[in-house]
Amino acid sequence: MNQKRLFNSIFSLSEIAVVGMSANAKRPSHQIGFYLKEQGYNIYPVNPNYDKINKLKCFSNLNEIKDNIDIVNIFRHPDHALPIVIDSIKINPKVIWFQDGVVNYEAIDLANKNGIQTIVDDCIYRKHKVYINKA
């Protein structure tokens, strides 16, 4: 699949779990999560340290989310990626997006072996900005 079709497909999805989302408005996970919300996506903050982030219910893990999740967007250290992918497999998202610097080959391979599309070491915000300017 070429890149344009790939990102058309990904950005047509609507349910995004933001794993590692921070309540701190200065953190990229917070800024990007709320950018996606402003763009019309349904975001699900995942961070066991918060009950809510800016009035949004915050989930302690992916398995607590009852809605179907299309994209799992990971804002965690690469050492934490494998358990997140293991949890992701249980909820069967279409895409796992490993943000800038989140490179864990074991986790990436596991996701791919389970039929989950991966985007690795890239920023969903930057890609979305390019997508909406070309769409």
Side-chain angles (χ1 to χ4, degrees):
M1 179 181 292
N2 71 30
Q3 276 221 332
K4 182 177 181 182
R5 285 191 22 219
L6 171 66
F7 288 108
N8 280 344
S9 173
I10 290 172
F11 290 125
S12 70
L13 302 171
S14 61
E15 311 300 314
I16 304 174
V18 182
V19 180
M21 188 165 173
S22 175
N24 180 342
K26 294 179 180 179
R27 302 285 302 172
S29 62
H30 182 97
Q31 295 166 355
I32 292 170
F34 281 99
Y35 164 81
L36 293 168
K37 182 170 176 40
E38 290 166 7
Q39 298 302 308
Y41 296 95
N42 297 319
I43 64 160
Y44 300 79
V46 179
N47 188 324
N49 298 312
Y50 307 107
D51 292 327
K52 289 189 176 197
I53 295 178
N54 285 23
K55 300 181 184 175
L56 286 178
K57 177 175 175 37
C58 191
F59 300 89
S60 61
N61 62 63
L62 290 168
N63 298 311
E64 282 188 359
I65 302 171
K66 300 303 177 210
D67 297 332
N68 290 328
I69 296 299
D70 298 314
I71 301 171
V72 173
N73 184 212
I74 302 176
F75 280 92
R76 295 294 316 272
H77 189 277
D79 292 347
H80 299 283
L82 185 58
I84 295 166
V85 169
I86 291 168
D87 282 350
S88 296
I89 291 165
K90 295 173 191 168
I91 65 167
N92 197 30
K94 293 173 181 63
V95 177
I96 298 178
W97 195 299
F98 296 81
Q99 281 293 136
D100 290 333
V102 183
V103 179
N104 178 313
Y105 294 109
E106 186 179 2
I108 295 160
D109 288 344
L110 183 61
N112 290 327
K113 285 178 183 171
N114 280 274
I116 302 170
Q117 174 72 48
T118 56
I119 305 295
V120 180
D121 197 23
D122 205 342
C123 178
I124 197 169
Y125 167 81
R126 276 195 319 270
K127 284 293 189 207
H128 188 266
K129 293 291 268 186
V130 168
Y131 167 77
I132 63 171
N133 288 330
K134 290 185 177 179

